[in-house]
Amino acid sequence: MNIVITPNKLDVSAQLHASLQQATSTKEIQPDHTQIIFNFRNSSYYQTKAGYHPVEISISREDARDDWRLLYISDLAYFGHPYPELDIEIDFNFQAGIFYMVGLTRQPINHPMVQDFYKTWESNFLAYLSSGVFDDITVNSW
């Protein structure tokens, strides 16, 4: 299966496209499936330990071809006391055109600050991915 992500409001790199493509290489995506969710996790990250945050990326099929669009990229972390729960810390919501980060006011995804931050976030994510810190990568489709 060939994943081609249509242009969007952030400059998503060819390397991220290739990484998503590679993640699907071990999973058979049915031709009638229209959504894929990628989960990248480090098994040592837990509510009582520091570590690499889980990342979830969702894409949906534009049409019968292999043209896909990003729905969201979410970086998760544990919040709360005394019983922390995994929740969204950073969210690039392409569908709504909104960027969210804990402690900040929501911003349009095409805001220059968001675009700069996304480049840094993506660079870090790809570096972590290539160094193998995500030891649990799952791909689900429907």
Side-chain angles (χ1 to χ4, degrees), residues 10-113:
L10 292 177
D11 188 20
V12 176
S13 72
Q15 189 178 358
L16 181 63
H17 291 176
S19 297
L20 297 178
Q21 179 72 42
Q22 182 180 359
T24 61
S25 66
T26 60
K27 169 88 173 166
E28 185 176 336
I29 308 298
Q30 299 300 318
D32 62 333
H33 288 188
T34 59
Q35 189 164 2
I36 301 173
I37 294 182
F38 303 86
N39 287 287
F40 301 88
R41 298 184 187 275
N42 177 290
S43 60
S44 68
Y45 181 67
Y46 187 66
Q47 61 193 9
T48 57
K49 299 178 185 175
Y52 299 96
H53 291 187
V55 172
E56 183 172 291
I57 299 174
S58 179
I59 61 175
S60 70
R61 191 186 306 260
E62 286 284 302
D63 50 39
R65 302 174 312 186
D66 282 332
D67 292 338
W68 297 79
R69 65 184 170 101
L70 277 165
L71 296 178
Y72 62 83
I73 297 174
S74 297
D75 190 305
L76 308 165
Y78 282 101
F79 293 96
H81 181 74
Y83 305 106
E85 294 185 18
L86 200 57
D87 202 357
I88 295 172
E89 180 177 38
I90 298 169
D91 187 50
F92 301 95
N93 188 323
F94 295 88
Q95 194 168 16
I98 299 293
F99 167 74
Y100 166 79
M101 188 161 103
V102 170
L104 296 178
T105 305
R106 294 180 194 279
Q107 295 290 324
I109 205 164
N110 59 352
H111 188 283
M113 181 267 317

